[in-house]
Amino acid sequence: MIPKTKKYTLYYKNQNYIINTTEKRMGGILMAKVAVVKMPKSKNGTVLLKKLWEQRGLQLMAVPGLIWILVFNYIPMAGLVIAFKKFKITESIFSGEWVGLKYFKEFIQDTNFASIMTNTLGISLLKLVIGFPLPIIFALLLNEIRGTRFKKLTQTISYLPHFLSWVVLGGIMVSWLSKEGVINDFLVAMNIIKEPISLLGEPKYFWGIALISDTWKEMGWSAIIYLAAIAGVDQQLYEAATVDGATKLQKIKAITIPCIAGTIAIMLILQVASLLNSNFDQILILKNQINIERSQVIDTYVYQVGMTMGKYSYATAVGLFKSVIALFLLLVSNTVSKKFLGRSLY
């Protein structure tokens, strides 16, 4: 039998390898010989260009996304220059008097600065500490359901609120939380309160309302990524644990959670990086002049001073201030995760 020779190229750890396989049948037995040859690194980038050409189909699929990011994310960043200038709507963004850090100082010295930062961090930390673990717990519990129909029904019900915009859901929440709403009716019927109260008219309740409504809307949807990670766990690990007599709780603790720890770490890094994002749509819909002392956050403040008051340079400076802190939080959380958990974004 004439030996069959096949050649493959393997890319591993920034290095290309050539794999030569030779197959030959001797005495009814298929014999194979494998030879791995390390290719020298190219100094002029020809290896990278060759790889891009080999994957040209996939690369072309990514081009529309890259164009979208370039047009809507990077080109508009040129407008950040107005945070350092006295910008007028009738002039170009590159004209106007240079004022340096004037608007940043004004924001920090603003009488509302402390309350805005307190509300922003307070709501975001509640969502991080309470709202972040709930989708993980929900995914773990959902994974243990063996009834297919009940599992699909539970998933569908938990996903549905995500597809409602905050404009629609906010209207529902405002109706439910009014004095004549179903929540007051329930609380009175259970003798928790003696008479109906305007829940959105009491500033002290706003943080709790923001946390509960956001969790209700997004918990099921956020659990999808954890369910996908759990589905990728090797089932032989569970079978071996069953043979050893492990309980369901022990399997979750010793197998499931360690196997999805990488996914949890990545999602936690992203959550920490967005700590100053308090869900603009939700807050804008639920806040009013009565609860504004507990509902005014950075995003709604930027909208207020920028769009309704016309202070474009000041609003841009506040937004840039938030973005710089977000970048700092991303770098810190990624470094901490990489050092202690061995998982990171880069």
Side-chain angles (χ1 to χ4, degrees):
M1 176 182 178
I2 301 175
K4 296 181 179 179
T5 302
K6 296 181 180 180
K7 183 178 180 180
Y8 304 92
T9 301
L10 173 66
Y11 187 75
Y12 177 70
K13 290 186 176 181
N14 299 321
Q15 180 62 54
N16 279 277
Y17 297 85
I18 297 178
I19 303 177
N20 294 312
T21 62
T22 304
E23 298 178 356
K24 185 177 181 181
R25 188 175 296 277
M26 299 178 62
I29 300 176
L30 183 63
M31 308 294 291
K33 180 181 179 181
V34 180
V36 180
V37 181
K38 183 176 181 180
M39 293 178 61
K41 290 186 178 181
S42 176
K43 296 182 179 180
N44 55 10
T46 55
V47 174
L48 176 61
L49 293 175
K50 183 178 180 182
K51 187 173 182 62
L52 291 174
W53 176 252
E54 291 175 351
Q55 298 178 347
R56 57 188 179 278
L58 297 174
Q59 302 297 339
L60 286 174
M61 291 175 63
V63 169
L66 292 174
I67 294 175
W68 187 90
I69 292 174
L70 179 66
V71 172
F72 293 101
N73 290 76
Y74 282 91
I75 294 179
M77 288 178 70
L80 292 175
V81 71
I82 69 174
F84 307 95
K85 291 191 172 189
K86 191 174 182 179
F87 172 72
K88 295 181 180 179
I89 193 67
T90 56
E91 299 177 354
S92 166
I93 61 174
F94 300 106
S95 61
E97 179 187 354
W98 183 269
V99 295
L101 300 177
K102 173 185 176 182
Y103 298 115
F104 295 91
K105 294 176 181 178
E106 285 185 7
F107 174 58
I108 294 174
Q109 295 171 357
D110 193 296
T111 54
N112 297 317
F113 176 78
S115 62
I116 291 171
M117 293 302 296
T118 300
N119 293 335
T120 303
L121 292 173
I123 295 172
S124 297
L125 285 173
L126 281 175
K127 291 180 180 180
L128 176 64
V129 175
I130 300 175
F132 179 76
L134 287 179
I136 303 172
I137 297 172
F138 180 68
L140 293 172
L141 295 176
L142 202 61
N143 184 61
E144 296 300 324
I145 298 177
R146 294 294 172 257
T148 306
R149 290 186 178 180
F150 180 72
K151 184 176 182 178
K152 289 182 178 180
L153 178 63
T154 305
Q155 286 179 300
T156 303
I157 293 174
S158 66
Y159 297 164
L160 281 178
H162 171 78
F163 296 99
L164 295 175
S165 69
W166 272 112
V167 175
V168 176
L169 195 61
I172 296 173
M173 293 297 298
V174 170
S175 176
W176 285 0
L177 295 169
S178 66
K179 286 187 176 181
E180 298 79 20
V182 294
I183 295 180
N184 266 296
D185 292 342
F186 173 77
L187 294 176
V188 171
M190 296 297 292
N191 292 321
I192 298 175
I193 58 175
K194 294 182 179 180
E195 57 183 23
I197 58 176
S198 178
L199 294 171
L200 283 177
E202 295 287 343
K204 61 183 179 181
Y205 297 129
F206 187 84
W207 287 11
I209 292 171
L211 171 65
I212 294 172
S213 59
D214 184 75
T215 302
W216 169 51
K217 186 176 186 296
E218 300 297 340
M219 184 179 71
W221 184 257
S222 299
I224 292 178
I225 190 169
Y226 301 112
L227 287 170
I230 292 172
V233 178
D234 189 353
Q235 296 301 310
Q236 293 182 356
L237 297 174
Y238 294 110
E239 294 172 2
T242 302
V243 172
D244 291 338
T247 63
K248 289 185 179 294
L249 189 59
Q250 289 173 330
K251 291 177 185 178
I252 292 174
K253 183 178 179 181
I255 299 175
T256 309
I257 294 179
C259 288
I260 66 172
T263 302
I264 295 175
I266 297 301
M267 298 304 295
L268 180 60
I269 292 171
L270 297 176
Q271 185 82 0
V272 171
S274 60
L275 200 60
L276 295 185
N277 293 331
S278 303
N279 198 335
F280 170 77
D281 295 341
Q282 177 197 22
I283 305 299
L284 184 65
I285 295 295
L286 296 180
K287 86 180 186 72
N288 53 52
Q289 290 302 315
I290 302 175
N291 62 31
I292 195 169
E293 64 180 85
R294 300 283 281 179
S295 62
Q296 184 77 294
V297 296
I298 291 180
D299 291 332
T300 55
Y301 181 69
V302 169
Y303 173 78
Q304 178 183 328
V305 299
M307 300 303 295
T308 64
M309 299 174 64
K311 297 181 179 180
Y312 302 109
S313 294
Y314 181 78
T316 304
V318 177
L320 183 58
F321 170 82
K322 188 191 81 168
S323 300
V324 171
I325 295 179
L327 177 61
F328 173 76
L329 290 173
L330 174 64
L331 296 175
V332 171
S333 59
N334 187 76
T335 302
V336 172
S337 176
K338 188 175 183 179
K339 182 176 181 179
F340 293 98
L341 301 177
R343 312 293 175 91
S344 61
L345 289 173
Y346 53 87

